Amino acid sequence: MMSNALLFNLNLLESVTTSTLSGWRGCLVVKAATRPEKVLVLYDMEGCPYCRRVREVLTALHLDADIRPCPKGGRRFRDEAVALGGKAQFPLLMDENTGEKLYESSDIVAYLFQHYGKGRVPGYYKSRIYQPVTGSMASAVSGLRGLRATPSLKPEQTLRLWSFEGSPFSRLVRERLCELELPYTLHNLGKEHWTEIGPAKQRLKPGPYTPRPGGKRAAFFARHGRVQVPYLEDPNSGEALFESSRILRYLDRQYTV
């Protein structure tokens, strides 16, 4: 039987491959958008390549979102999504600031860049003819995790996750949150400068890490003394955790039926 540590490392390698096939989009901030008065709501399947495109842009614009996981076989948010939008299709973006209700990843990407980025979709984030193929491959190499529901306990309060889309470590946590249908506020913490490229403990630029002043990373650093994702806070239990392996063990222990 495969050990938990070996399985985790295998899943992590698969997640790295997913990020590679996705062109490592959703790592760097293209333009930090002004935070809207009301947080965006995204009905989402973590393993869906079309949903991934939307989450990549949320990172690129440094936008947070309330994630309502809608895995196949899920019962917690799928009916709610259908009631709001009229069909069980994902992603579904709800923006209460403008009244917009959008399906289709290309339409959502264009809307986010135009409304919150105040410009056109950058070339790196435009839809390409090959993306459905590479996107499906990216989901497949991750074992289609984050697509099917697992029975779970329903939390009273929404969890909070600090992450960015291209992070292989964060993806493992988001996959489990989706499978367990656990709603969470996604706090995007994308890399704001080239000096931040690389893992938290071995960034491209050597020496002590100093985030850019005034940004979301600087605020996180001031609070925690480091910038590392994923970081999960669960107001239902008071738990606050770094390290994806620890977070996964906690979620299974706390919420799996």
Side-chain angles (χ1 to χ4, degrees):
M1 185 175 180
M2 191 179 298
S3 70
N4 289 337
L6 182 58
L7 180 60
F8 173 80
N9 287 326
L10 176 61
N11 290 344
L12 179 59
L13 179 60
E14 292 169 346
S15 187
V16 170
T17 305
T18 296
S19 292
T20 302
L21 286 169
S22 299
W24 292 94
R25 289 183 299 274
C27 290
L28 292 170
V29 176
V30 174
K31 181 178 182 179
T34 302
R35 180 164 46 177
E37 182 179 347
K38 296 180 179 180
V39 69
L40 305 176
V41 177
L42 182 66
Y43 292 85
D44 172 80
M45 282 194 292
E46 175 63 32
C48 167
Y50 299 100
C51 294
R52 186 182 304 120
R53 284 198 65 208
V54 173
R55 297 193 307 269
E56 289 169 353
V57 172
L58 290 174
T59 293
L61 293 172
H62 240 13
L63 286 169
D64 298 340
D66 277 343
I67 304 295
R68 309 280 168 82
C70 296
K72 295 179 180 179
R75 299 181 178 181
R76 200 160 287 163
F77 295 109
R78 277 189 160 243
D79 288 346
E80 179 180 308
V82 171
L84 289 169
K87 53 185 174 180
Q89 180 180 319
F90 308 99
L92 168 60
L93 180 78
M94 307 289 295
D95 187 349
E96 294 184 3
N97 301 281
T98 62
E100 287 287 346
K101 181 191 306 178
L102 296 166
Y103 289 103
E104 301 299 338
S105 57
S106 295
D107 291 342
I108 298 174
V109 167
Y111 169 76
L112 291 173
F113 272 115
Q114 290 167 5
H115 188 77
Y116 289 104
K118 306 301 181 185
R120 297 179 179 178
V121 178
Y124 198 45
Y125 286 90
K126 286 184 177 179
S127 178
R128 306 294 183 186
I129 192 170
Y130 57 80
Q131 281 183 339
V133 176
T134 56
S136 296
M137 290 172 59
S139 297
V141 297
S142 283
L144 300 179
R145 291 187 302 274
L147 281 178
R148 296 195 176 277
T150 297
S152 67
L153 301 174
K154 183 179 180 180
E156 292 186 5
Q157 300 182 67
T158 298
L159 282 65
R160 303 178 70 188
L161 178 70
W162 281 258
S163 165
F164 61 86
E165 178 57 32
S167 164
F169 293 95
S170 298
R171 180 176 294 109
L172 297 178
V173 173
R174 295 195 310 264
E175 288 168 349
R176 198 64 181 138
L177 287 167
C178 185
E179 292 167 346
L180 294 171
E181 297 184 89
L182 300 178
Y184 63 97
T185 299
L186 174 62
H187 297 278
N188 269 301
L189 212 59
K191 298 176 184 293
E192 298 169 341
H193 193 259
W194 73 265
T195 56
E196 298 178 324
I197 295 175
K201 297 179 181 178
Q202 190 60 53
R203 290 185 171 90
L204 188 61
K205 182 181 178 181
Y209 171 64
T210 304
R212 298 185 75 174
K216 290 172 72 174
R217 286 192 157 225
F220 190 92
F221 186 84
R223 181 182 174 194
H224 300 285
R226 56 175 160 165
V227 176
Q228 180 181 332
V229 297
Y231 171 68
L232 179 83
E233 289 184 352
D234 186 350
N236 302 282
S237 65
E239 286 285 349
L241 299 165
F242 285 100
E243 303 295 346
S244 51
S245 58
R246 291 184 63 204
I247 296 172
L248 291 171
R249 288 196 299 270
Y250 166 75
L251 293 174
D252 285 342
R253 184 177 66 250
Q254 187 76 7
Y255 290 107
T256 300
V257 175

